Amino acid sequence: MKKLVLILSCFVSSLVWASDSAGLIAAKTWLKMIDAGQYTQSWQQSDSTFKSQLTENKWAQALQGVRAPLGLVKSRAKFSAKAYSSLPGVPDGEYLVIQFQTEFQNKASATETLTLSKGSGNWLPVGYFIK
């Protein structure tokens, strides 16, 4: 019985790690689009919930006003990632909230928070904030 519990806990741990890892890869890929100024492409590569909340043009304008002035990314490191099955304002599902500590050319310390959803089968952004 102890072996079965150990095997099951290892299996569950690897599923959580794999999910976090796939989400982290998706997050970094999407953030690289933002870093490169590919705002239209980042909107296109977002979850339908994200797209329903703001148009492609509004998204590009928001990033031009907030993200572009920060300049190039000097460093970005994940400092937290947490899975959720429900979040305010969105249907229940699989969500991953990842926070990065980021140093920009024109801002020494910022926190980027990226929320991803797996509603479409792939991890796609549903929210992005910079503090």
Side-chain angles (χ1 to χ4, degrees):
M1 185 66 170
K2 286 183 181 182
K3 285 183 181 181
L4 179 59
V5 171
L6 178 63
I7 291 169
L8 286 176
S9 66
C10 289
F11 176 72
V12 169
S13 295
S14 17
L15 285 178
V16 169
W17 181 84
S19 177
D20 182 32
S21 178
L24 186 58
I25 290 168
K28 287 181 176 181
T29 300
W30 192 79
L31 287 171
K32 284 182 183 181
M33 282 185 249
I34 301 290
D35 296 342
Q38 298 171 335
Y39 304 149
T40 297
Q41 187 177 354
S42 70
W43 184 87
Q44 292 168 347
Q45 296 295 317
S46 298
D47 187 83
S48 59
T49 302
F50 182 94
K51 293 176 186 175
S52 71
Q53 305 219 356
L54 71 163
T55 66
E56 184 178 322
N57 286 337
K58 293 275 186 196
W59 174 243
Q61 288 173 358
L63 288 176
Q64 282 290 352
V66 176
R67 174 59 184 86
L70 298 175
L72 299 175
V73 172
K74 293 174 91 175
S75 68
R76 176 182 284 134
K78 177 192 99 170
F79 74 87
S80 74
K82 186 165 181 180
Y84 293 91
S85 58
S86 66
L87 291 171
V90 291
D92 288 352
E94 287 184 77
Y95 297 96
L96 185 60
V97 178
I98 305 173
Q99 290 190 310
F100 297 91
Q101 191 62 48
T102 307
E103 180 183 358
F104 293 98
Q105 181 180 11
N106 301 321
K107 186 167 175 74
S109 180
T111 300
E112 292 179 289
T113 302
L114 181 57
T115 303
L116 302 160
S117 168
K118 201 169 183 184
S120 67
N122 297 313
W123 287 112
L124 295 174
V126 293
Y128 175 63
F129 302 96
I130 302 173
K131 273 188 177 178

